[in-house]
Each structure stands twice: as structure tokens, then as C-alpha cells.
Amino acid sequence: EDKVVQSPLSLVVHEGDTVTLNCSYEVTNFRSLLWYKQEKKAPTFLFMLTSSGIEKKSGRLSSILDKKELFSILNITATQTGDSAVYLCAVDTGTASKLTFGTGTRLQVTL
Amino acid sequence: GAVVSQHPSRVICKSGTSVKIECRSLDFQATTMFWYRQFPKQSLMLMATSNEGSKATYEQGVEKDKFLINHASLTLSTLTVTSAHPEDSSFYICSARPGTGVKAFFGQGTRLTVV
């Protein structure tokens, strides 16, 4: 059974801190790994990673994939209160294009 | 960019009635759409894969007679919660991908409350 595990489950930091969110996976067939941010409603796309060692960056957010060790990290630097959300990691196993989601990490950024 | 629209965003219904949720891909064709359920403070749980022109594929433990899925066109999939009960109250989200190997887009979600 395909499995995606995220850690920590929840995290509280102060504005300005840097955080690292983890995602590990065990799947029979790997095509890509995706990160999403979910605030109140639908998840919004952050990154899609397919190759090991290539960092994807967007502003204060960055992510990298390690296909040998089967994990990915999402970094957020200089956090802001607007970063408070649930961050979801999902793996595309190529099976009918469906995504298997991790449990999510709930991030709260306080003033 | 690709957009997926889901309707309604919120619905309250009486126990025993049925509720239909629509998911539309607005600017691309989707032969496959996905329906997820999300409980409070939990992640997205895939319920079923909706296939245009054929039967949906349900995940283990999801009752296909309870959650009817119809994907009659390349831009529309519907999820009908039949004979709804309070335990069906949840957040339902659909998603679609413009092609294989590309990111998935999500609808706005539907919060269903069964009273």
C-alpha cells in the first residue's frame, strides 16, 4: 500500500523564524511529488518535484527531493502570519494520475 | 491557468435526503477527476476516481451506492451523496489534471452538513 508521511503534524513558530517541513514516502511507482498549501478551502499548488537534488524556489519557499532516501523537505524562511496553513505533500504514483496525500503539517505563525 | 470549479460551496440538508455536488474543469478537458473527503484537521482522503464515459473507481471502504459518481462529459463530474446521514457531514473536494505528469487543480470544496 502506498504511504506518504509528513512531520511534524503541527508546528507553532514566531514570525521571522525559518521552518522545515518533512515528507517521506513509500510507493510502488513514483512519478512526482507535489506540495500544496491549504488555508480554509481548496489546496493551492506550491511545487512539483520530479528529480533529486534540484531545488525549486518561489520567494521565501523552497523545496527539494531526495529520491534515494525517499523524502522531500519544504523550507519557509522569514515566516509571516500569512504562512499559517496546512501544508500537504502528495505523491503521484502514475496510477490513473491519482495523488496520494500525506497527513499534512499544520503550521501556525504567531507575532 | 487551469481552473476547476466546484458547486455548491456549502450545503445543509436533512437526514435521508440526497445532495449533488458538481465539479467542472473550466478551461481544459479532464477524462479523469478525483473526489476527496476531508475531516476536520485531517488530510485529504481519496474517495474515488471519476472516469469520463465509464464507471468510477472507488477506493477501499467507500460505498459506491452511497456516493454516486457520474462523469458524463469531459468537463463535468458529479458526486451525489444519497440518503445522507449526519456522519456524512464533511468537506468534499474535487480535483482534475489537464494531463498526466502535471499538477492537479482543486475545486473550492463543498462543506456538507447533514442535520
Side-chain angles (χ1 to χ4, degrees):
Chain A
E1 184 184 338
D2 294 338
K3 190 188 300 183
V4 179
V5 178
Q6 291 183 247
S7 64
L9 289 180
S10 66
L11 190 58
V12 180
V13 301
H14 290 112
E15 200 171 42
D17 287 351
T18 294
V19 298
T20 298
L21 309 182
N22 304 292
C23 175
S24 63
Y25 59 91
E26 286 181 38
V27 298
T28 52
N29 183 35
F30 177 90
R31 174 173 283 174
S32 63
L33 185 145
L34 299 93
W35 284 97
Y36 286 86
K37 176 183 181 182
Q38 185 178 27
E39 296 176 83
K40 291 185 178 178
K41 292 193 174 180
T44 53
F45 173 79
L46 295 175
F47 299 109
M48 182 166 75
L49 304 156
T50 55
S51 302
S52 278
I54 300 174
E55 185 184 53
K56 293 266 181 118
K57 198 170 173 62
S58 176
R60 297 176 294 103
L61 277 66
S62 64
S63 183
I64 198 161
L65 173 69
D66 185 330
K67 290 169 72 173
K68 184 180 176 184
E69 299 297 328
L70 308 182
F71 79 92
S72 173
I73 59 172
L74 174 68
N75 276 322
I76 308 175
T77 59
T79 52
Q80 302 171 358
T81 55
D83 295 327
S84 297
V86 174
Y87 290 83
L88 297 166
C89 167
V91 175
D92 179 352
T93 59
T95 305
S97 296
K98 68 180 181 183
L99 299 177
T100 300
F101 279 86
T103 46
T105 294
R106 183 173 297 275
L107 173 66
Q108 184 179 352
V109 182
T110 62
L111 292 171
Chain B
V3 178
V4 174
S5 176
Q6 188 173 340
H7 178 81
S9 58
R10 183 182 290 269
V11 59
I12 302 172
C13 71
K14 290 187 177 180
S15 190
T17 61
S18 295
V19 173
K20 182 186 283 189
I21 304 169
E22 292 187 349
C23 181
R24 293 181 185 272
S25 55
L26 296 185
D27 54 0
F28 65 94
Q29 294 182 334
T31 55
T32 306
M33 291 186 177
F34 304 93
W35 288 97
Y36 294 87
R37 183 173 181 175
Q38 187 174 35
F39 291 103
K41 297 188 179 181
Q42 293 191 28
S43 189
L44 300 175
M45 183 188 76
L46 180 66
M47 297 175 65
T49 302
S50 173
N51 304 300
E52 189 267 335
S54 64
K55 291 182 180 179
T57 306
Y58 290 82
E59 296 298 305
Q60 193 172 6
V62 178
E63 297 177 61
K64 62 181 180 180
D65 294 331
K66 175 126 184 101
F67 299 100
L68 298 179
I69 290 172
N70 184 281
H71 194 151
S73 78
L74 288 170
T75 58
L76 173 65
S77 175
T78 61
L79 168 69
T80 301
V81 182
T82 63
S83 188
H85 288 100
E87 56 265 31
D88 298 325
S89 298
S90 191
F91 191 57
Y92 294 87
I93 309 179
C94 70
S95 80
R97 304 175 78 173
T100 56
V102 299
K103 64 187 181 186
F105 294 89
F106 288 85
Q108 302 93 321
T110 298
R111 184 160 301 285
L112 170 64
T113 303
V114 184
V115 298

